[in-house]
Amino acid sequence: MRAEYYRADSEDGDHIEDPSEDALFMLFDDLNGSDNTFVVIQPDQEDPAWWATVTLLGKGGYKVVRRDTTRREHEVVTETSIGRIALDLTIWMAARDFPERAAPAEP
């Protein structure tokens, strides 16, 4: 079954459909320097228009990349708090477009 909005995949094969802020936190907390160094979050579709990655840096922080081709956004930041990363990404993803999602019915 496909994710309704987006999915998160880690390097070690963990996969979560429509992850919550807490689920993202747990994925980021599981990152390590040997075999699980990044998480990719994107819509569950071919050739997604937006995506985000979180990569563990050797010096203890995280590199966060956000890309949205439809809005011409490309941001790269470093952060040390996985709680802050999970919150910021949850808010950012809520503002993304989901073309395959049906528009709500008008009252």
Side-chain angles (χ1 to χ4, degrees):
M1 185 167 149
R2 290 182 58 173
E4 186 173 348
Y5 299 107
Y6 52 87
R7 68 176 191 251
D9 298 289
S10 65
E11 181 180 15
D12 72 353
D14 282 344
H15 171 85
I16 301 176
E17 295 179 357
D18 300 318
S20 65
E21 180 183 337
D22 289 339
L24 290 174
F25 181 94
M26 291 188 307
L27 283 174
F28 305 151
D29 193 41
D30 287 343
L31 295 177
N32 62 58
S34 59
D35 64 349
N36 192 31
T37 60
F38 65 87
V39 173
V40 177
I41 307 156
Q42 63 187 11
D44 194 3
Q45 61 191 33
E46 292 291 321
D47 195 25
W50 64 266
W51 52 264
T53 62
V54 176
T55 305
L56 179 65
L57 299 174
K59 51 192 168 233
Y62 300 84
K63 179 172 123 178
V64 181
V65 178
R66 295 179 208 157
R67 180 87 167 128
D68 187 330
T69 59
T70 60
R71 297 177 187 208
R72 298 182 186 185
E73 294 177 0
H74 185 202
E75 180 181 25
V76 179
V77 298
T78 56
E79 178 64 64
T80 57
S81 168
I82 58 176
R84 179 66 185 204
I85 296 168
L87 173 63
D88 288 350
L89 284 177
T90 300
I91 293 168
W92 184 79
M93 290 182 298
R96 299 307 96 193
D97 295 324
F98 297 94
E100 294 179 2
R101 181 174 64 185
E106 292 188 28

Coordinates of all heavy atoms in Angstrom, one line a residue, residues 23-91:
A23 N 7.8 9.7 14.8 CA 8.4 8.6 14.0 C 9.6 9.1 13.3 O 10.6 8.4 13.2 CB 7.4 8.1 13.0
L24 N 9.6 10.4 12.8 CA 10.8 11.0 12.2 C 11.9 11.1 13.2 O 13.0 10.7 13.0 CB 10.5 12.3 11.6 CG 9.6 12.3 10.4 CD1 9.2 13.8 10.0 CD2 10.3 11.6 9.2
F25 N 11.5 11.5 14.4 CA 12.5 11.6 15.5 C 13.2 10.3 15.7 O 14.4 10.2 15.9 CB 11.8 12.1 16.8 CG 12.7 12.2 18.0 CD1 13.3 13.5 18.3 CD2 13.1 11.1 18.8 CE1 14.2 13.6 19.4 CE2 13.9 11.3 19.9 CZ 14.5 12.5 20.2
M26 N 12.4 9.2 15.8 CA 13.0 7.9 16.0 C 13.9 7.4 14.9 O 15.0 6.9 15.1 CB 11.9 6.9 16.3 CG 11.2 7.1 17.6 SD 10.0 5.8 18.1 CE 8.9 5.7 16.6
L27 N 13.5 7.7 13.6 CA 14.4 7.4 12.5 C 15.7 8.2 12.6 O 16.8 7.6 12.4 CB 13.7 7.8 11.2 CG 12.6 6.8 10.7 CD1 12.0 7.4 9.4 CD2 13.2 5.4 10.4
F28 N 15.7 9.5 13.0 CA 16.9 10.2 13.1 C 17.7 9.8 14.2 O 18.9 9.8 14.2 CB 16.6 11.7 13.2 CG 15.7 12.3 12.1 CD1 14.8 13.4 12.4 CD2 15.7 11.8 10.9 CE1 14.0 13.9 11.4 CE2 14.9 12.3 9.8 CZ 14.1 13.4 10.1
D29 N 17.1 9.4 15.3 CA 17.8 8.9 16.5 C 18.5 7.6 16.2 O 19.5 7.3 16.9 CB 16.8 8.7 17.7 CG 17.5 8.5 19.0 OD1 18.5 9.2 19.3 OD2 17.0 7.7 19.8
D30 N 18.0 6.8 15.3 CA 18.7 5.5 14.9 C 19.8 5.7 14.0 O 20.5 4.7 13.7 CB 17.6 4.6 14.2 CG 16.6 4.0 15.2 OD1 16.9 4.1 16.5 OD2 15.6 3.5 14.8
L31 N 20.1 6.9 13.5 CA 21.2 7.1 12.5 C 22.5 6.8 13.3 O 22.7 7.1 14.5 CB 21.2 8.5 11.9 CG 20.0 8.8 11.0 CD1 20.1 10.2 10.6 CD2 20.0 7.8 9.8
N32 N 23.5 6.2 12.5 CA 24.8 5.9 13.1 C 25.9 6.2 12.1 O 25.6 6.4 10.9 CB 24.9 4.5 13.7 CG 24.7 3.5 12.6 OD1 25.4 3.4 11.6 ND2 23.6 2.6 12.8
G33 N 27.1 6.1 12.4 CA 28.2 6.4 11.5 C 28.7 5.3 10.7 O 29.6 5.5 9.9
S34 N 28.0 4.1 10.8 CA 28.6 3.0 10.0 C 27.6 2.5 8.8 O 28.0 2.5 7.7 CB 28.9 1.8 10.9 OG 27.7 1.4 11.6
D35 N 26.4 2.1 9.2 CA 25.6 1.6 8.1 C 24.2 2.2 8.0 O 23.3 1.7 7.3 CB 25.4 0.0 8.3 CG 24.7 -0.3 9.6 OD1 24.5 0.6 10.5 OD2 24.3 -1.5 9.8
N36 N 24.0 3.3 8.7 CA 22.7 4.0 8.7 C 22.9 5.5 8.9 O 22.7 6.0 9.9 CB 21.7 3.4 9.8 CG 20.3 3.9 9.6 OD1 19.8 4.1 8.5 ND2 19.6 4.1 10.7
T37 N 23.4 6.1 7.8 CA 23.8 7.5 7.9 C 22.8 8.6 7.4 O 23.0 9.7 7.6 CB 25.1 7.7 7.1 OG1 24.9 7.4 5.8 CG2 26.2 6.8 7.7
F38 N 21.7 8.1 6.8 CA 20.8 9.1 6.2 C 19.4 8.6 6.2 O 19.1 7.4 6.2 CB 21.2 9.6 4.8 CG 21.2 8.5 3.8 CD1 20.0 8.3 3.1 CD2 22.3 7.8 3.5 CE1 19.9 7.3 2.1 CE2 22.2 6.8 2.5 CZ 21.1 6.5 1.8
V39 N 18.4 9.6 6.1 CA 17.0 9.3 5.9 C 16.5 10.2 4.7 O 16.9 11.4 4.7 CB 16.2 9.7 7.2 CG1 14.7 9.6 6.9 CG2 16.6 8.8 8.3
V40 N 15.7 9.7 3.9 CA 15.1 10.4 2.8 C 13.6 10.4 3.0 O 13.0 9.4 3.2 CB 15.4 9.8 1.4 CG1 14.7 10.5 0.2 CG2 16.9 9.7 1.2
I41 N 13.0 11.6 2.8 CA 11.6 11.8 3.0 C 11.1 12.4 1.7 O 11.6 13.4 1.2 CB 11.2 12.7 4.2 CG1 11.9 12.2 5.4 CG2 9.7 12.8 4.4 CD1 12.2 13.3 6.5
Q42 N 10.1 11.8 1.1 CA 9.5 12.3 -0.2 C 8.1 11.7 -0.4 O 7.8 10.7 0.2 CB 10.4 11.9 -1.3 CG 10.6 10.4 -1.5 CD 11.6 10.0 -2.6 OE1 12.4 10.8 -3.0 NE2 11.7 8.8 -2.9
P43 N 7.4 12.3 -1.4 CA 6.1 11.8 -1.7 C 6.3 10.4 -2.3 O 7.3 10.1 -2.9 CB 5.5 12.7 -2.8 CG 6.3 14.0 -2.6 CD 7.7 13.6 -2.1
D44 N 5.3 9.6 -2.1 CA 5.3 8.2 -2.6 C 4.8 8.2 -4.0 O 3.7 7.8 -4.3 CB 4.4 7.3 -1.7 CG 4.7 5.8 -2.0 OD1 5.6 5.5 -2.8 OD2 4.0 5.0 -1.3
Q45 N 5.6 8.7 -4.9 CA 5.2 8.8 -6.4 C 6.5 8.8 -7.2 O 7.6 9.0 -6.7 CB 4.4 10.0 -6.6 CG 5.2 11.3 -6.3 CD 4.3 12.5 -6.3 OE1 3.1 12.5 -6.0 NE2 4.8 13.7 -6.7
E46 N 6.3 8.5 -8.5 CA 7.5 8.6 -9.4 C 7.9 10.0 -9.6 O 7.1 10.9 -9.7 CB 7.1 8.0 -10.8 CG 6.8 6.5 -10.8 CD 8.0 5.7 -10.6 OE1 9.1 6.1 -11.1 OE2 8.0 4.7 -9.8
D47 N 9.2 10.3 -9.6 CA 9.8 11.6 -9.9 C 9.1 12.7 -9.0 O 8.5 13.6 -9.5 CB 9.6 12.0 -11.4 CG 10.5 13.1 -11.8 OD1 11.5 13.4 -11.1 OD2 10.1 13.8 -12.7
P48 N 9.3 12.6 -7.7 CA 8.7 13.5 -6.8 C 9.2 15.0 -7.0 O 10.4 15.2 -7.3 CB 9.0 13.0 -5.4 CG 10.2 12.2 -5.6 CD 10.1 11.6 -7.0
A49 N 8.3 15.9 -6.8 CA 8.7 17.3 -7.0 C 9.4 17.9 -5.8 O 10.1 19.0 -5.9 CB 7.4 18.2 -7.3
W50 N 9.3 17.3 -4.7 CA 10.0 17.7 -3.5 C 10.5 16.5 -2.7 O 10.1 15.4 -2.8 CB 9.1 18.6 -2.6 CG 7.9 17.9 -2.0 CD1 6.6 17.8 -2.6 CD2 7.9 17.1 -0.8 NE1 5.8 17.1 -1.8 CE2 6.5 16.6 -0.7 CE3 8.8 16.8 0.1 CZ2 6.2 15.8 0.4 CZ3 8.4 16.0 1.2 CH2 7.1 15.5 1.3
W51 N 11.5 16.8 -1.9 CA 12.1 15.8 -1.0 C 13.0 16.5 0.1 O 13.3 17.6 -0.1 CB 13.0 14.8 -1.8 CG 14.0 15.4 -2.7 CD1 13.9 15.7 -4.0 CD2 15.3 15.8 -2.4 NE1 15.0 16.2 -4.5 CE2 15.9 16.3 -3.5 CE3 16.0 15.8 -1.2 CZ2 17.2 16.9 -3.5 CZ3 17.3 16.4 -1.2 CH2 17.9 16.8 -2.4
A52 N 13.3 15.7 1.1 CA 14.2 16.2 2.1 C 15.1 15.0 2.6 O 14.7 13.9 2.5 CB 13.4 16.7 3.3
T53 N 16.3 15.4 2.9 CA 17.2 14.4 3.5 C 17.8 14.9 4.8 O 18.0 16.1 5.0 CB 18.4 14.0 2.5 OG1 19.2 15.2 2.3 CG2 17.9 13.5 1.2
V54 N 18.1 13.9 5.7 CA 18.8 14.2 6.9 C 19.9 13.2 7.0 O 19.8 12.0 6.9 CB 17.8 14.0 8.1 CG1 18.6 14.2 9.4 CG2 16.7 14.9 8.1
T55 N 21.1 13.8 7.1 CA 22.4 13.0 7.0 C 23.2 13.3 8.3 O 23.4 14.4 8.7 CB 23.2 13.3 5.8 OG1 22.4 13.2 4.6 CG2 24.4 12.5 5.7
L56 N 23.6 12.2 8.9 CA 24.4 12.3 10.1 C 25.8 12.8 9.7 O 26.4 12.2 8.8 CB 24.5 10.9 10.8 CG 25.4 10.9 12.1 CD1 24.8 11.7 13.2 CD2 25.5 9.4 12.6
L57 N 26.3 13.8 10.4 CA 27.7 14.3 10.1 C 28.6 13.7 11.1 O 28.3 13.4 12.2 CB 27.7 15.8 10.2 CG 26.8 16.6 9.2 CD1 26.8 18.1 9.5 CD2 27.2 16.3 7.8
G58 N 29.9 13.5 10.7 CA 30.9 12.9 11.5 C 31.1 13.7 12.8 O 31.5 13.2 13.8
K59 N 30.9 15.0 12.8 CA 31.2 15.8 14.0 C 30.0 15.9 14.9 O 29.9 16.8 15.8 CB 31.6 17.2 13.5 CG 30.7 17.9 12.5 CD 31.4 19.1 11.9 CE 30.6 19.5 10.7 NZ 31.4 19.6 9.5
G60 N 29.0 15.0 14.8 CA 27.9 15.0 15.7 C 26.6 15.7 15.3 O 25.6 15.5 16.0
G61 N 26.6 16.5 14.3 CA 25.4 17.2 13.9 C 24.8 16.5 12.7 O 25.1 15.4 12.4
Y62 N 23.8 17.2 12.1 CA 23.0 16.6 11.0 C 23.0 17.7 9.9 O 22.8 18.9 10.2 CB 21.6 16.3 11.5 CG 21.6 15.2 12.6 CD1 21.8 15.6 13.9 CD2 21.5 13.9 12.3 CE1 21.8 14.7 14.9 CE2 21.5 12.9 13.3 CZ 21.6 13.4 14.6 OH 21.6 12.4 15.6
K63 N 23.1 17.2 8.7 CA 22.9 18.1 7.5 C 21.5 17.8 7.0 O 21.1 16.7 6.8 CB 23.9 17.7 6.4 CG 23.7 18.5 5.2 CD 24.9 18.3 4.2 CE 24.4 17.8 2.9 NZ 25.5 17.6 1.9
V64 N 20.7 18.9 6.9 CA 19.3 18.8 6.4 C 19.2 19.5 5.1 O 19.6 20.7 5.0 CB 18.3 19.4 7.4 CG1 16.9 19.3 7.0 CG2 18.5 18.8 8.8
V65 N 18.7 18.8 4.1 CA 18.6 19.3 2.8 C 17.1 19.3 2.4 O 16.5 18.2 2.5 CB 19.4 18.6 1.7 CG1 19.1 19.2 0.3 CG2 20.8 18.6 2.0
R66 N 16.5 20.4 2.0 CA 15.1 20.5 1.6 C 15.1 21.0 0.2 O 15.7 22.0 -0.1 CB 14.3 21.4 2.5 CG 14.2 21.0 3.9 CD 13.4 22.0 4.6 NE 13.9 21.9 6.0 CZ 13.8 22.8 6.9 NH1 13.3 24.0 6.6 NH2 14.3 22.7 8.1
R67 N 14.4 20.3 -0.7 CA 14.3 20.7 -2.1 C 12.9 20.6 -2.6 O 12.2 19.6 -2.3 CB 15.2 19.7 -2.9 CG 15.2 20.0 -4.4 CD 16.2 21.1 -4.7 NE 16.5 21.1 -6.1 CZ 16.4 22.2 -6.8 NH1 16.2 23.4 -6.2 NH2 16.6 22.2 -8.1
D68 N 12.4 21.6 -3.2 CA 11.0 21.6 -3.8 C 11.1 22.3 -5.1 O 11.3 23.6 -5.2 CB 10.0 22.4 -2.9 CG 8.6 22.3 -3.4 OD1 8.4 22.2 -4.6 OD2 7.7 22.3 -2.6
T69 N 11.1 21.6 -6.2 CA 11.3 22.1 -7.6 C 10.2 23.0 -8.0 O 10.4 23.9 -8.8 CB 11.6 21.0 -8.6 OG1 10.4 20.1 -8.6 CG2 12.8 20.2 -8.3
T70 N 9.0 22.7 -7.6 CA 7.8 23.5 -8.0 C 7.9 24.9 -7.4 O 7.3 25.9 -7.9 CB 6.5 22.9 -7.6 OG1 6.4 22.7 -6.2 CG2 6.3 21.5 -8.4
R71 N 8.5 25.0 -6.2 CA 8.6 26.3 -5.5 C 10.0 26.9 -5.6 O 10.2 28.0 -5.0 CB 8.2 26.2 -4.1 CG 6.8 25.7 -3.9 CD 6.5 25.5 -2.4 NE 5.1 25.0 -2.3 CZ 4.4 25.1 -1.2 NH1 4.8 25.8 -0.2 NH2 3.2 24.6 -1.1
R72 N 10.8 26.3 -6.3 CA 12.2 26.7 -6.5 C 12.9 26.9 -5.2 O 13.6 27.9 -5.0 CB 12.3 28.0 -7.4 CG 11.8 27.7 -8.7 CD 11.9 28.9 -9.6 NE 11.2 28.7 -10.9 CZ 11.2 29.5 -11.9 NH1 11.8 30.6 -11.8 NH2 10.5 29.1 -13.0
E73 N 12.7 26.0 -4.3 CA 13.3 26.0 -2.9 C 14.4 25.0 -2.9 O 14.3 23.8 -3.3 CB 12.3 25.7 -1.9 CG 11.2 26.7 -1.7 CD 10.2 26.2 -0.6 OE1 10.3 25.2 0.0 OE2 9.2 27.0 -0.4
H74 N 15.6 25.4 -2.3 CA 16.7 24.5 -2.1 C 17.4 25.1 -0.9 O 18.0 26.1 -1.0 CB 17.6 24.4 -3.3 CG 18.7 23.4 -3.1 ND1 19.8 23.4 -3.8 CD2 18.7 22.3 -2.2 CE1 20.6 22.4 -3.4 NE2 19.9 21.7 -2.5
E75 N 17.3 24.4 0.2 CA 17.9 24.8 1.5 C 18.8 23.7 2.1 O 18.4 22.6 2.1 CB 16.8 25.2 2.5 CG 17.3 25.7 3.8 CD 16.2 26.1 4.7 OE1 15.1 25.6 4.6 OE2 16.5 26.9 5.6
V76 N 19.9 24.1 2.5 CA 20.8 23.2 3.2 C 21.2 23.9 4.5 O 21.7 25.0 4.6 CB 22.1 22.9 2.4 CG1 23.0 22.0 3.1 CG2 21.7 22.4 1.0
V77 N 21.0 23.2 5.6 CA 21.3 23.7 7.0 C 22.0 22.5 7.8 O 21.8 21.4 7.5 CB 20.1 24.2 7.7 CG1 19.5 25.4 7.0 CG2 19.1 23.2 8.0
T78 N 22.7 22.9 8.8 CA 23.1 21.9 9.8 C 22.4 22.2 11.1 O 22.1 23.3 11.4 CB 24.7 22.0 10.0 OG1 25.0 23.3 10.4 CG2 25.4 21.6 8.7
E79 N 22.2 21.1 11.8 CA 21.4 21.2 13.1 C 21.9 20.2 14.0 O 22.4 19.1 13.6 CB 19.9 21.0 12.8 CG 19.0 21.0 13.9 CD 18.9 22.3 14.7 OE1 18.5 23.3 14.1 OE2 19.3 22.3 15.8
T80 N 21.8 20.4 15.3 CA 22.3 19.4 16.3 C 21.1 18.7 17.0 O 21.3 17.7 17.6 CB 23.2 20.1 17.4 OG1 22.5 21.1 18.0 CG2 24.5 20.6 16.7
S81 N 19.9 19.3 17.0 CA 18.8 18.7 17.7 C 17.8 18.0 16.7 O 17.2 18.6 15.9 CB 18.0 19.9 18.3 OG 16.7 19.4 18.8
I82 N 17.7 16.6 17.0 CA 16.8 15.9 16.1 C 15.4 16.2 16.4 O 14.5 16.1 15.5 CB 17.1 14.3 16.2 CG1 17.0 13.8 17.6 CG2 18.4 14.0 15.6 CD1 17.1 12.3 17.8
G83 N 15.1 16.7 17.6 CA 13.7 17.1 17.9 C 13.3 18.3 17.0 O 12.2 18.4 16.5
R84 N 14.3 19.2 16.9 CA 14.0 20.4 16.1 C 13.9 20.1 14.6 O 13.1 20.6 13.9 CB 15.2 21.4 16.3 CG 15.1 22.7 15.5 CD 13.9 23.5 16.0 NE 13.8 24.6 15.1 CZ 13.2 25.7 15.5 NH1 12.7 25.8 16.7 NH2 13.1 26.7 14.7
I85 N 14.8 19.1 14.1 CA 14.7 18.7 12.8 C 13.4 18.1 12.5 O 12.7 18.4 11.5 CB 15.8 17.7 12.4 CG1 17.2 18.4 12.6 CG2 15.7 17.1 11.0 CD1 18.4 17.4 12.6
A86 N 12.9 17.2 13.3 CA 11.6 16.5 13.1 C 10.5 17.5 13.1 O 9.6 17.4 12.2 CB 11.4 15.4 14.2
L87 N 10.5 18.4 14.0 CA 9.4 19.5 14.0 C 9.5 20.3 12.8 O 8.4 20.5 12.1 CB 9.6 20.3 15.3 CG 8.6 21.5 15.3 CD1 7.2 21.1 15.4 CD2 9.0 22.4 16.5
D88 N 10.6 20.8 12.4 CA 10.7 21.7 11.2 C 10.3 21.0 10.0 O 9.6 21.5 9.1 CB 12.2 22.2 11.1 CG 12.5 23.3 12.1 OD1 11.6 23.8 12.9 OD2 13.7 23.6 12.2
L89 N 10.8 19.7 9.8 CA 10.4 19.0 8.6 C 8.9 18.7 8.6 O 8.3 18.7 7.5 CB 11.2 17.7 8.5 CG 12.6 17.9 8.0 CD1 13.4 16.6 8.0 CD2 12.7 18.5 6.6
T90 N 8.3 18.4 9.7 CA 6.9 18.1 9.7 C 6.1 19.3 9.3 O 5.2 19.2 8.5 CB 6.4 17.7 11.2 OG1 7.2 16.5 11.5 CG2 4.9 17.4 11.2
I91 N 6.5 20.5 9.8 CA 5.8 21.7 9.4 C 6.1 22.0 7.9 O 5.1 22.4 7.1 CB 6.3 22.9 10.2 CG1 5.8 22.7 11.7 CG2 5.9 24.3 9.7 CD1 6.5 23.6 12.7

